[in-house]
Amino acid sequence: MKSIKVKRTGKRRKRILFLYLPVLLILTLCFFGAGRFLLFNQSPQQADVIIVLSGGGTNRIEKGIELFKNDFAPYILLSNAKEPAGTHGDMLQTTLALGIPQEDILTENEAQSTYQNAKFTLSIMENKGFSSAIIVSSDFHMRRVKFLFDHVYKNSGVELTYVGSISGYDANHWWRGKYNREVTITEYTKMIGNTFGYNGSEAKKVLEKFKSWLP
């Protein structure tokens, strides 16, 4: 009788192990792949305009200017152009200081979130009759940028290409270092908030509340 019980116990343990191992594997892959999932980068294509999103210091602007100087588009559109962007001043001042002619720069000054970046730039795209754009933001930001821009630009007929600028974010070891962890948590929290319709100031309030719960 004891040997039968031992055999049954052994089989039960094997079944539990068989069921939980795939779950553990999936969770492990999700953990280690969380940083890499945030990255989304495409090869730049010829477009009507390069849209540079605010934030990221001068890195995003410099990437936009690199694309402009390589003739990928004849215009640069700065979204939330009054955002401070380094020693030269705001985004517009920085872009001018780095050698881009005023007549090749378009601006909007109202966006306070990634969703609004998409919404307000679409209006300019439609007013100018543009049908294609390269979207530039920080590498870790690009997955959420794509999610929101694809949603806002849906049915607009505008072709979008997404190009990330290097930020110093370590996607392969996102759990190492305060900066990497904060970026990862912030992006996933905002992504979840955006999915449920929280954008702009609402999303930021939810994020701050979430951060207050963290140790």
Side-chain angles (χ1 to χ4, degrees):
M1 289 295 291
K2 285 184 179 180
S3 62
I4 294 173
K5 286 182 179 179
V6 169
K7 286 181 181 179
R8 286 177 179 174
T9 302
K11 287 182 180 180
R12 191 177 299 114
R13 286 175 179 171
K14 286 181 180 178
R15 285 197 203 102
I16 292 171
L17 191 62
F18 180 77
L19 290 172
Y20 279 94
L21 265 179
V23 174
L24 182 61
L25 178 62
I26 291 169
L27 290 175
T28 302
L29 290 173
C30 287
F31 177 85
F32 287 105
R36 290 190 294 274
F37 178 76
L38 294 178
L39 308 184
F40 184 84
N41 191 58
Q42 296 177 307
S43 298
Q45 306 293 324
Q46 288 291 325
D48 293 325
V49 65
I50 299 160
I51 300 175
V52 180
L53 308 191
S54 58
T58 61
N59 290 342
R60 300 178 186 182
I61 295 172
E62 289 171 353
K63 187 63 179 182
I65 290 173
E66 176 191 320
L67 294 169
F68 176 86
K69 289 184 175 179
N70 283 310
D71 298 323
F72 282 103
Y75 298 101
I76 292 180
L77 169 52
L78 305 174
S79 184
N80 188 21
K82 292 181 179 179
E83 173 95 359
T87 57
H88 295 295
D90 61 27
M91 290 182 73
L92 175 58
Q93 292 167 331
T94 300
T95 305
L96 290 169
L98 294 176
I100 305 302
Q102 177 78 62
E103 60 268 24
D104 296 331
I105 303 172
L106 305 171
T107 62
E108 73 80 16
N109 300 311
E110 304 301 324
Q112 296 298 312
S113 67
T114 306
Y115 174 80
Q116 290 180 351
N117 287 143
K119 180 180 177 182
F120 296 152
T121 56
L122 177 58
S123 297
I124 295 173
M125 294 284 292
E126 291 173 339
N127 289 338
K128 293 290 184 180
F130 293 156
S131 60
S132 59
I134 299 172
I135 314 298
V136 176
S137 190
S138 301
D139 47 11
F140 62 78
H141 189 208
M142 294 308 298
R143 180 68 63 177
R144 191 160 58 88
V145 168
K146 185 180 188 303
F147 172 77
L148 290 168
F149 270 75
D150 283 355
H151 173 71
V152 172
Y153 276 69
K154 186 179 179 181
N155 301 322
S156 69
V158 176
E159 184 179 349
L160 300 176
T161 304
Y162 298 93
V163 177
S165 66
I166 295 173
S167 66
Y169 174 67
D170 187 353
N172 292 318
H173 307 97
W174 65 265
W175 58 92
R176 295 180 183 173
K178 184 179 179 182
Y179 170 75
N180 293 320
R181 290 193 297 272
E182 285 188 350
V183 164
T184 306
I185 292 169
T186 295
E187 282 303 307
Y188 275 102
T189 303
K190 286 184 176 180
M191 199 180 298
I192 293 168
N194 293 154
T195 301
F196 287 97
Y198 290 98
N199 296 294
S201 59
E202 285 185 329
K204 288 177 182 178
K205 286 178 182 177
V206 172
L207 175 61
E208 290 306 316
K209 188 172 184 180
F210 178 80
K211 281 184 174 180
S212 69
W213 296 338
L214 296 176

